[in-house]
Structure formats: C-alpha cells, structure tokens
Amino acid sequence: MTDDTSAAAGIQRSLRQCISHMAALLYRHGHVLETVTVPHRGLDHGAILQLSQASNDWATCQQVLERSEAASYNESGRFVLTALGRELLFDMFGSGAADCA
C-alpha cells in the first residue's frame, strides 16, 4: 500500500467515524439526520454549541468533516453535509437514513 493510499484510507475511516459520531449525537440531542442532510436546513450556531458542550469529540469531528469537504455551511450559515458527506452517510446507514435528502 502506498503512502497516498494509506492516507486516503485513514481519512475515509476518520470521516466515517465522525459521521457515525455525529449521527449518534444528533439523535441523543433531539435532532434528525435531515437536519444536516437537507442543504437548506442545517445546524445553527446554538445547536453546534450544544453539541460541543455535550461531547469533547464534536469539535474535532466537525473540523474533520469541514477539512475533508464532507460538510460546510449553507447560505444561512448553518452546518450541513455536502454531497460527499451525504454519500458517506447513506453508504453507512442506507439511503433510507434520511429520506428527505
């Protein structure tokens, strides 16, 4: 395995871990996956703050998702998954995980 292949595999594993962690946190705090999979919805600043306070890992996962371009902010400044993030989420949890997306 080349260094590039190894790095790519590590990034994808990290992304998958962050998406899984994000989904669990959303559920525990009363959100649904559609909150981050529907581009015009998203998590506002208050929701992100709540998740950050609830989990020491949230900020790291959020950074991993943003840096890998699996998540970004929509025109309303809300945190949402990009097409890449949605593809990984649906690959992991099935296309019915968030039917609205």
Side-chain angles (χ1 to χ4, degrees):
M1 192 181 295
T2 68
D3 286 343
D4 287 343
T5 304
S6 177
I11 289 169
Q12 184 161 7
R13 182 172 47 255
S14 182
L15 273 172
R16 289 177 180 274
Q17 289 170 340
C18 287
I19 287 173
S20 178
H21 184 63
M22 176 195 65
L25 274 172
L26 290 173
Y27 175 76
R28 282 195 300 260
H29 292 278
H31 298 282
V32 293
L33 289 176
E34 287 86 354
T35 302
V36 293
T37 59
V38 177
H40 67 272
R41 290 189 70 186
L43 294 170
D44 63 18
H45 179 72
I48 290 173
L49 183 60
Q50 177 190 31
L51 293 169
S52 295
Q53 292 171 343
S55 169
N56 294 333
D57 297 333
W58 173 263
T60 301
C61 282
Q62 182 180 348
Q63 288 175 355
V64 167
L65 292 167
E66 288 177 31
R67 287 183 184 154
S68 64
E69 298 182 0
S72 66
Y73 291 86
N74 65 18
E75 60 279 350
S76 299
R78 293 171 173 258
F79 183 79
V80 294
L81 293 177
T82 62
L84 170 64
R86 289 190 302 273
E87 182 179 327
L88 285 170
L89 176 87
F90 299 145
D91 182 50
M92 292 170 56
F93 296 109
S95 59
D99 291 330
C100 292

